[in-house]
Amino acid sequence: MRVAQGWCRGGKIPMKYTFNREPDDGDCGITITNTQLEDDDGLWQCQVTQASLQELTLTSPEVKLTVREAPYPPIIEDSTIQIVQGIHSLQEQTSQKRLHCLARKGNPPAILKWFLNDVEITTNVNQTNIRDLEKRKTWQAVSALDMTFAKEDNHKMLKCVAIHDAYDTKAKDITVQLGILLKSEQLKYSETDMYQATSTSSSIRTFIRNVL
C-alpha cells in the first residue's frame, strides 16, 4: 500500500525542505538546508496520509527543533548600571548586595556561572530566562548574585561566564577587579606629627578617614 507524507510547521513548507512524499521504504525523514532562526525554530510534525480515504491520517508527535543563535557577550550590572571591565568599587557591606550578569539575544538561553578568583560561586545565585523583546525567538539569560562583600574581597577578580554551544569558543566571560571601600575607621595621630606644630603638647587628635 502506498502512502503520502508531508511535514508541517506553521502550515508552510518553503522549497529548501527536501523529503520524499511517497517513500517506498517508509523513510519519512526531512532534510533542512540553511536553517534559520526565524523560519525553522519551533515545533515540527509529520503527517502520513493512507491510500484509502477510509483510513485516518497518521500524525506524529510534535518535535522541537532548536536553531542555535549565539548570545551577545555577557555583561555585569550594578543596580541596572553596566560595569565596564576593569576595577569596580563597592562599599564594604553588612548585608547582601545584588549584582546581575546578562547574556542577551541567544537561543537557547546561555548558562551563566559566577567565579571569584577562579573559584565558582555556587550559593546565592539564581538564573532566570526571559524572552528578549528586541529580537524575536531569542532569550535574555539573567543571573542574580547576592553576596556580602568584605575587606577580604578587596582586589579579588569577579568573573561571569556565559556558556553556549553557538559561541566559537563555547564560552565568553567578563571579569572585574573588586575595589572594596572599607567602613570609616578611627585612626589616632599625634598632633605634632600631623601638623608639625611647634607646641610640645602630647595631645592626641582623632581623625576619621576612608581607606581602600
Side-chain angles (χ1 to χ4, degrees):
M1 179 177 64
R2 184 173 292 276
V3 299
Q5 62 93 18
W7 283 86
C8 297
R9 196 197 73 78
K12 296 177 66 177
I13 305 178
M15 294 299 295
K16 67 175 183 174
Y17 304 121
T18 304
F19 58 90
N20 190 342
R21 291 186 178 274
E22 297 183 353
D24 293 327
D25 58 359
D27 183 359
C28 298
I30 184 172
T31 300
I32 305 174
T33 58
N34 190 26
T35 54
Q36 299 292 324
L37 178 67
E38 289 287 338
D39 296 332
D40 305 321
D41 186 88
L43 296 174
W44 286 78
Q45 187 179 68
C46 178
Q47 295 180 352
V48 178
T49 302
Q50 303 291 345
S52 172
L53 296 178
Q54 283 72 37
E55 297 184 75
L56 296 177
T57 298
L58 300 178
T59 302
S60 73
E62 291 181 328
V63 294
K64 177 70 168 67
L65 174 63
T66 299
V67 179
R68 293 182 300 192
E69 180 88 358
Y72 287 8
I75 62 172
I76 297 177
E77 289 185 348
D78 183 354
S79 301
T80 71
I81 299 175
Q82 182 176 344
I83 301 174
V84 296
Q85 192 147 317
I87 298 177
H88 181 59
S89 297
L90 291 170
Q91 192 75 30
E92 185 183 22
Q93 304 289 313
T94 56
S95 58
Q96 288 186 336
K97 180 176 182 59
R98 172 165 289 190
L99 298 176
H100 289 98
C101 180
L102 300 89
R104 300 186 56 204
K105 300 183 180 180
N107 189 54
I111 298 173
L112 302 176
K113 294 186 177 183
W114 292 89
F115 295 83
L116 189 62
N117 273 7
D118 291 326
V119 177
E120 185 175 356
I121 304 171
T122 57
T123 59
N124 301 327
V125 174
N126 180 43
Q127 178 170 336
T128 57
N129 303 314
I130 58 177
R131 285 292 188 183
D132 197 292
L133 299 179
E134 294 183 3
K135 188 172 183 180
R136 185 172 173 265
K137 290 192 174 183
T138 63
W139 296 86
Q140 177 173 276
V142 183
S143 179
L145 169 67
D146 294 312
M147 186 170 178
T148 302
F149 294 96
K151 62 181 180 180
E152 292 80 9
D153 299 317
N154 194 34
H155 302 310
K156 287 185 178 181
M157 307 302 291
L158 180 66
K159 177 168 64 176
C160 177
V161 179
I163 302 170
H164 199 280
D165 285 336
Y167 284 142
D168 53 358
T169 56
K170 302 302 181 184
K172 293 184 181 294
D173 64 73
I174 179 173
T175 302
V176 296
Q177 184 178 17
L178 298 177
I180 306 300
L181 302 176
L182 304 186
K183 293 180 180 179
S184 297
E185 61 182 20
Q186 290 188 340
L187 300 176
K188 293 183 178 180
Y189 295 93
S190 165
E191 185 173 287
T192 55
D193 289 340
M194 292 299 297
Y195 296 104
Q196 297 181 350
T198 57
S199 171
T200 58
S201 171
S202 60
S203 62
I204 300 297
R205 180 172 295 177
T206 301
F207 297 90
I208 306 297
R209 73 173 184 177
N210 286 333
V211 294
L212 287 177

